[in-house]
Amino acid sequence: MPSQRTWTVAIIGAAVLLSGTVVLRSGAPTASRPYTPADLSAAARGVQGVTATVPDRALLSDDPTPAPTPEPTAAPTPAPTAVPQPPPSAAPTPASPGGMWFGVLQATAPRAAEEHAAGVTVGSLELNWSSYEPAPGQFDGNYAAQQVARMNGLRAAGLNVVLDVGMQYPPAWVFNVDGNTRFVNQYGDVWHGSLSEDVPNAVFDGAVRDAESAYIARVAADFGDNFYAIRAGGLLQNELRYPPATVNGHSNSYWAFDGGAQAHSPIPGWRPGQAGSAQATAFLNWYLSALTDFQTWLIGTYRSHFGSAWLQLLKPSWGLRPGDFEAAVAANLDGSTKAAGWGTLAMGLDWQRQVNAIGDQHVMLYGSWMERGDDGGSPATMAPAHYLATLGAARGLRTAGENADAGDSAAMMATVVQRARAWNLAGLMWLDEPSLFGGGASLGAYSALIHSA
């Protein structure tokens, strides 16, 4: 199964959690992208422009429990930053005969004009919730102004902006809003992740959702509703998933055993692996539906503040495939099935269920592992992004994607672009800007592919 990998932090600004924007994306395949039958190894993915490296996100048995971070002293809350509102953003103008748009993650204003000239029409703007709201209801106006300036710089260069509000970087105080803010598995392990994975339990805790909703509302007030898209996942690495299956030496983890979750369980106290197919069915349906319900809440919350933007639902890893649910139930969720071994079951990656629940036609599915190709043409063997695209097409939804490794070669870039076109994706984001200017495939190579037929 997934190998260990390094993680890299790209810092924009002087400090990670004070005034800078942290951009950290995961490697393929790992806890967030467990691999599949045909290939059990892949290059570790890290963000370039490195200033620090941290270990794998999975909390190992010898990892110390993170010490609580003291809450910062509350400062007077400034009024929302005034942002001139241009007309709502239209779809990016395709720069290729195929009609796709092409973008860059971690885009910066100094490079944006050169990227736009190369055919790039979309750039991402990443925020950090911890920097933005260091104390409950207290917002850092200087930080907001810096990020508004970044946004304006990207737009001035001609790029459409995709916003990531940064809920994967929560402030310390959100873990103290009540006693159920952390995910807990059936072994009693309390989830503590590293940077971008140490997120609160918004699936089962309404108080956490209230805090996130208030934060999203403030971002909308400061930045306005003129984004091409919002990156939405809301949990680890801003993807839609529970924590990984393996932690503290325990495997087959299901993250629904905190007090708040168990209060709503259809069979409180039942644990995966215990006998009873009826109980296993009820538990797994509830577990997967809880994550789908969070997705519905997330879509509604973003839509109430960003009426014109596409909402990109970030779907990591391989995803559950036809037959995985039934096989797991037949084994009483004991961890012996392939989906359990890959971690896709415990992470709740029931894409079919999640796609069926989407009622907003301005939602875009989003796969984050474009290097992974098809093993075949069936739903069980399609590549993750290809499978998402087929699920979306059946519901009238578009799909976009990104590569998983900032060190991808020009040859891999060509393969990724070819797949994006063959699978009829709406667009492709490239990870990342620093790699295009040294360390991976170049902007020149990207431009040539963008303009190729």
Side-chain angles (χ1 to χ4, degrees), residues 136-163:
Q138 306 298 318
F139 297 89
D140 188 330
N142 290 332
Y143 175 81
Q146 291 169 6
Q147 304 313 313
V148 168
R150 288 183 58 214
M151 173 186 70
N152 290 337
L154 296 178
R155 287 182 177 154
L159 297 186
N160 295 265
V161 180
V162 173
L163 176 66

Side-chain angles (χ1 to χ4, degrees), residues 80-85 127 132 139 144 148 151 155 163 165 212-227 230 301-307:
T81 306
V83 182
Q85 293 303 301
L127 305 180
Y132 209 134
F139 297 89
V148 168
M151 173 186 70
R155 287 182 177 154
L163 176 66
V165 304
E212 292 181 344
S213 180
Y215 169 62
I216 290 170
R218 179 53 182 253
V219 171
D222 284 348
F223 286 78
D225 178 18
N226 188 42
F227 294 97
I230 310 293
T301 301
Y302 275 122
R303 182 60 70 215
S304 67
H305 299 290
F306 300 96

Side-chain angles (χ1 to χ4, degrees), residues 163-168 212-213 215-217 219-220 225 230-234 238 294-313 360:
L163 176 66
D164 183 331
V165 304
M167 286 201 297
Q168 66 272 37
E212 292 181 344
S213 180
Y215 169 62
I216 290 170
V219 171
D225 178 18
I230 310 293
R231 289 167 66 88
N238 198 24
F294 172 71
Q295 172 190 270
T296 300
W297 172 84
L298 193 66
I299 291 171
T301 301
Y302 275 122
R303 182 60 70 215
S304 67
H305 299 290
F306 300 96
S308 64
W310 286 92
L311 302 180
Q312 296 177 335
L313 291 178
D360 186 329

Side-chain angles (χ1 to χ4, degrees), residues 60-93:
L60 304 178
S61 58
D62 56 351
D63 284 343
T65 300
T69 303
E71 294 187 9
T73 303
T77 302
T81 306
V83 182
Q85 293 303 301
S89 208
T93 302

Side-chain angles (χ1 to χ4, degrees), residues 113-258:
E114 186 176 355
E115 289 161 353
H116 185 258
V120 172
T121 55
V122 181
S124 65
L125 173 71
E126 303 84 5
L127 305 180
N128 183 313
W129 182 10
S130 181
S131 296
Y132 209 134
E133 190 182 6
Q138 306 298 318
F139 297 89
D140 188 330
N142 290 332
Y143 175 81
Q146 291 169 6
Q147 304 313 313
V148 168
R150 288 183 58 214
M151 173 186 70
N152 290 337
L154 296 178
R155 287 182 177 154
L159 297 186
N160 295 265
V161 180
V162 173
L163 176 66
D164 183 331
V165 304
M167 286 201 297
Q168 66 272 37
Y169 308 117
W173 59 261
V174 79
F175 293 101
N176 298 318
V177 296
D178 65 23
N180 294 307
T181 59
R182 294 262 181 200
F183 288 103
V184 180
N185 66 14
Q186 70 267 37
Y187 308 105
D189 297 316
V190 179
W191 174 249
H192 290 269
S194 299
L195 185 66
S196 86
E197 291 204 342
D198 193 27
V199 298
N201 183 358
V203 176
F204 297 109
D205 194 332
V208 169
R209 289 193 189 185
D210 289 344
E212 292 181 344
S213 180
Y215 169 62
I216 290 170
R218 179 53 182 253
V219 171
D222 284 348
F223 286 78
D225 178 18
N226 188 42
F227 294 97
Y228 171 65
I230 310 293
R231 289 167 66 88
L235 296 168
L236 290 76
Q237 299 173 337
N238 198 24
E239 296 170 331
L240 190 70
R241 63 180 174 99
Y242 290 110
T246 300
V247 63
N248 286 344
H250 294 134
S251 60
N252 195 41
S253 296
Y254 286 84
W255 298 95
F257 289 87
D258 62 279

